[in-house]
Coordinates of all heavy atoms in Angstrom, one line a residue:
I1 N 0.8 -1.2 0.0 CA 0.0 0.0 0.0 C 0.9 1.2 0.0 O 0.6 2.2 -0.7 CB -0.9 0.0 1.2 CG1 -2.0 -1.1 1.1 CG2 -1.6 1.3 1.4 CD1 -2.8 -1.3 2.3
R2 N 1.9 1.2 0.8 CA 2.8 2.4 0.9 C 3.5 2.6 -0.5 O 3.6 3.7 -1.0 CB 3.8 2.2 2.0 CG 4.8 3.4 2.1 CD 5.7 3.2 3.3 NE 6.7 4.3 3.3 CZ 6.5 5.5 3.8 NH1 5.3 5.9 4.3 NH2 7.5 6.4 3.7
E3 N 4.0 1.5 -1.1 CA 4.7 1.6 -2.4 C 3.7 2.2 -3.5 O 4.1 3.0 -4.3 CB 5.2 0.3 -2.8 CG 6.4 -0.2 -1.9 CD 6.9 -1.6 -2.3 OE1 6.2 -2.2 -3.0 OE2 8.0 -1.9 -1.8
K4 N 2.5 1.7 -3.5 CA 1.6 2.1 -4.5 C 1.2 3.6 -4.2 O 1.1 4.4 -5.2 CB 0.3 1.3 -4.5 CG -0.7 1.6 -5.6 CD 0.0 1.4 -7.0 CE -1.0 1.6 -8.1 NZ -0.4 1.4 -9.5
S5 N 1.0 4.0 -3.0 CA 0.7 5.3 -2.6 C 1.8 6.3 -3.1 O 1.6 7.4 -3.6 CB 0.5 5.5 -1.1 OG -0.6 4.7 -0.7
A6 N 3.1 5.9 -2.9 CA 4.2 6.7 -3.3 C 4.2 6.9 -4.8 O 4.5 8.0 -5.3 CB 5.5 6.0 -2.9
E7 N 3.9 5.8 -5.5 CA 3.8 5.9 -7.0 C 2.7 6.9 -7.4 O 2.9 7.8 -8.3 CB 3.4 4.6 -7.6 CG 3.2 4.5 -9.1 CD 2.7 3.2 -9.6 OE1 3.1 2.2 -9.0 OE2 2.0 3.2 -10.6
L8 N 1.5 6.8 -6.8 CA 0.4 7.7 -7.1 C 0.7 9.2 -6.7 O 0.4 10.1 -7.4 CB -0.9 7.3 -6.4 CG -1.4 5.9 -6.9 CD1 -2.5 5.4 -6.0 CD2 -1.8 6.0 -8.4
V9 N 1.3 9.3 -5.5 CA 1.7 10.7 -5.0 C 2.7 11.3 -6.0 O 2.6 12.5 -6.3 CB 2.3 10.6 -3.6 CG1 3.1 11.8 -3.3 CG2 1.2 10.4 -2.6
S10 N 3.7 10.6 -6.5 CA 4.6 11.1 -7.4 C 3.9 11.7 -8.7 O 4.2 12.8 -9.2 CB 5.7 10.1 -7.8 OG 6.5 9.7 -6.7
K11 N 3.0 10.9 -9.2 CA 2.3 11.3 -10.4 C 1.5 12.6 -10.1 O 1.5 13.6 -10.9 CB 1.3 10.2 -10.8 CG 0.5 10.5 -12.1 CD -0.4 9.4 -12.4 CE -1.2 9.7 -13.7 NZ -2.1 8.5 -14.0
S12 N 0.8 12.6 -9.0 CA 0.0 13.8 -8.6 C 0.8 15.0 -8.3 O 0.5 16.1 -8.8 CB -0.9 13.5 -7.3 OG -1.8 12.5 -7.6
F13 N 1.9 14.8 -7.7 CA 2.8 16.0 -7.4 C 3.5 16.5 -8.7 O 3.7 17.7 -8.8 CB 3.9 15.6 -6.4 CG 3.3 15.6 -4.9 CD1 4.0 14.9 -4.0 CD2 2.2 16.4 -4.6 CE1 3.5 14.9 -2.7 CE2 1.8 16.4 -3.3 CZ 2.4 15.6 -2.3
R14 N 3.7 15.7 -9.6 CA 4.3 16.2 -10.9 C 3.3 17.1 -11.6 O 3.6 18.2 -12.1 CB 4.6 15.0 -11.9 CG 5.9 14.3 -11.6 CD 6.4 13.5 -12.7 NE 5.5 12.4 -13.0 CZ 5.5 11.2 -12.4 NH1 6.4 10.9 -11.5 NH2 4.6 10.3 -12.8
Y15 N 2.0 16.7 -11.6 CA 1.0 17.5 -12.1 C 0.8 18.8 -11.4 O 0.8 19.9 -12.0 CB -0.4 16.7 -12.1 CG -1.6 17.5 -12.3 CD1 -1.9 18.0 -13.5 CD2 -2.5 17.8 -11.2 CE1 -3.1 18.8 -13.7 CE2 -3.6 18.5 -11.4 CZ -3.9 19.0 -12.7 OH -5.0 19.8 -12.9
A16 N 0.8 18.7 -10.0 CA 0.6 19.9 -9.2 C 1.8 20.9 -9.4 O 1.7 22.1 -9.4 CB 0.5 19.5 -7.8
D17 N 3.0 20.3 -9.4 CA 4.2 21.2 -9.6 C 4.2 21.9 -10.9 O 4.6 23.1 -10.9 CB 5.5 20.3 -9.5 CG 6.7 21.1 -9.1 OD1 6.8 21.6 -7.9 OD2 7.6 21.3 -9.9
Q18 N 3.7 21.3 -11.9 CA 3.6 22.0 -13.2 C 2.6 23.2 -13.1 O 2.8 24.3 -13.6 CB 3.2 21.1 -14.3 CG 4.3 20.1 -14.6 CD 3.8 19.0 -15.6 OE1 2.7 18.9 -16.0 NE2 4.7 18.1 -15.9
K19 N 1.5 22.9 -12.4 CA 0.4 23.9 -12.2 C 0.9 25.1 -11.4 O 0.5 26.2 -11.6 CB -0.8 23.3 -11.5 CG -1.6 22.4 -12.3 CD -2.7 23.1 -13.1 CE -3.7 23.8 -12.2 NZ -4.8 24.5 -13.1
M20 N 1.9 24.8 -10.5 CA 2.4 25.8 -9.6 C 3.5 26.6 -10.1 O 4.2 27.4 -9.4 CB 2.7 25.2 -8.2 CG 1.6 24.5 -7.5 SD 0.3 25.7 -7.0 CE 1.1 26.5 -5.7
A21 N 3.9 26.4 -11.4 CA 5.0 27.0 -12.0 C 4.8 28.6 -12.0 O 5.8 29.3 -11.9 CB 5.2 26.5 -13.4
R22 N 3.6 29.0 -12.0 CA 3.3 30.4 -12.0 C 3.2 31.0 -10.6 O 3.0 32.2 -10.3 CB 2.0 30.7 -12.7 CG 0.8 30.0 -12.1 CD -0.4 30.1 -13.1 NE -1.5 29.2 -12.6 CZ -2.6 29.0 -13.3 NH1 -2.8 29.7 -14.4 NH2 -3.5 28.2 -12.8
G23 N 3.4 30.1 -9.6 CA 3.5 30.5 -8.2 C 2.3 30.1 -7.3 O 2.5 29.7 -6.2
W24 N 1.1 30.0 -8.0 CA -0.1 29.7 -7.2 C -1.0 28.8 -8.1 O -0.8 28.7 -9.4 CB -0.9 30.9 -6.8 CG -0.2 31.9 -6.1 CD1 0.1 33.2 -6.5 CD2 0.4 31.8 -4.7 NE1 0.9 33.9 -5.6 CE2 1.0 33.0 -4.5 CE3 0.4 30.8 -3.8 CZ2 1.7 33.3 -3.3 CZ3 1.1 31.0 -2.6 CH2 1.7 32.3 -2.3
W25 N -1.9 28.1 -7.5 CA -2.8 27.2 -8.3 C -3.6 28.0 -9.3 O -3.8 27.6 -10.4 CB -3.7 26.4 -7.3 CG -4.6 25.4 -8.0 CD1 -5.9 25.7 -8.5 CD2 -4.3 24.1 -8.3 NE1 -6.4 24.5 -9.1 CE2 -5.4 23.5 -9.0 CE3 -3.2 23.2 -8.1 CZ2 -5.5 22.2 -9.4 CZ3 -3.3 21.9 -8.5 CH2 -4.4 21.4 -9.2
L26 N -4.1 29.2 -8.8 CA -4.9 30.1 -9.7 C -3.9 31.2 -10.0 O -2.7 31.1 -9.8 CB -6.1 30.6 -8.9 CG -7.1 29.6 -8.4 CD1 -8.2 30.2 -7.6 CD2 -7.7 28.8 -9.6

């Protein structure tokens, strides 16, 4: 469960980090 969660978290954070390139979500 922990290993799968780490995999999913990495994918989600990659997406979020790209969104935050301008500084904020909005």
Side-chain angles (χ1 to χ4, degrees):
I1 292 172
R2 182 177 172 80
E3 289 176 349
K4 187 62 177 181
S5 296
E7 176 188 329
L8 295 172
V9 162
S10 294
K11 180 180 179 180
S12 294
F13 281 156
R14 279 196 299 272
Y15 166 71
D17 200 68
Q18 292 171 359
K19 286 277 291 184
M20 298 297 286
R22 56 190 173 186
W24 308 112
W25 184 270
L26 303 176

